[in-house]
Amino acid sequence: MVDVDALAQRAAGYGFAYLITITPHGRVHTSVVHPAVGGGAVTVAASDRVRTNVRAHPELSLVWPPPDATGYSLIVDGVGDERDGVLTLTPSRAILHRPATEPSAPGAADGCVQDCIEL
């Protein structure tokens, strides 16, 4: 379970995000969005295409790119529910992610070459 209030604190340091949905035909669709994170929820204004996609495949991801080249991306996976043009995401996983700068970075021991922090 993801603590949405803790996620809100992390997301405050980021700007826009990429919303990744799956079309009814199984293709990936990416949109630029400005999520609101707070009050126990993650919400996004949903376009017609996003609403169609979420009805077909409610699983989705949000990816906030890092504020600078050495920073972490914020990645949130979850399930979306659309009502009245607003998409509400129930997060199932949230991580801070960046390429590892050296083999001793967190996660390297299990063969992962990424620097990830679970939220």
Side-chain angles (χ1 to χ4, degrees), residues 2-4 6-8 10-11 14 17-20 35 37 41-42 59-64 73-79 89-97 119:
V2 175
D3 180 343
V4 178
L7 177 60
R10 293 291 188 155
Y14 292 80
Y18 296 103
L19 172 64
I20 303 167
V37 185
V42 180
E59 300 81 10
L60 51 84
S61 296
L62 282 167
V63 180
W64 284 264
S73 293
L74 173 58
I75 303 170
V76 178
D77 297 324
V79 176
L89 169 69
T90 301
S92 57
R93 184 173 187 218
I95 63 169
L96 294 170
H97 181 276
L119 299 182

Side-chain angles (χ1 to χ4, degrees), residues 25-80:
H25 304 294
R27 299 191 69 144
V28 173
H29 176 74
T30 305
S31 307
V32 174
V33 295
H34 297 276
V37 185
V42 180
T43 57
V44 176
S47 67
D48 289 343
R49 182 171 293 199
V50 166
R51 288 195 299 272
T52 298
N53 293 349
V54 169
R55 282 185 213 114
H57 300 282
E59 300 81 10
L60 51 84
S61 296
L62 282 167
V63 180
W64 284 264
D68 62 67
T70 61
Y72 288 92
S73 293
L74 173 58
I75 303 170
V76 178
D77 297 324
V79 176

Side-chain angles (χ1 to χ4, degrees), residues 69-73 96-101 113-117:
T70 61
Y72 288 92
S73 293
L96 294 170
H97 181 276
R98 68 179 176 187
T101 57
V113 295
Q114 307 303 315
D115 181 1
C116 299
I117 300 170

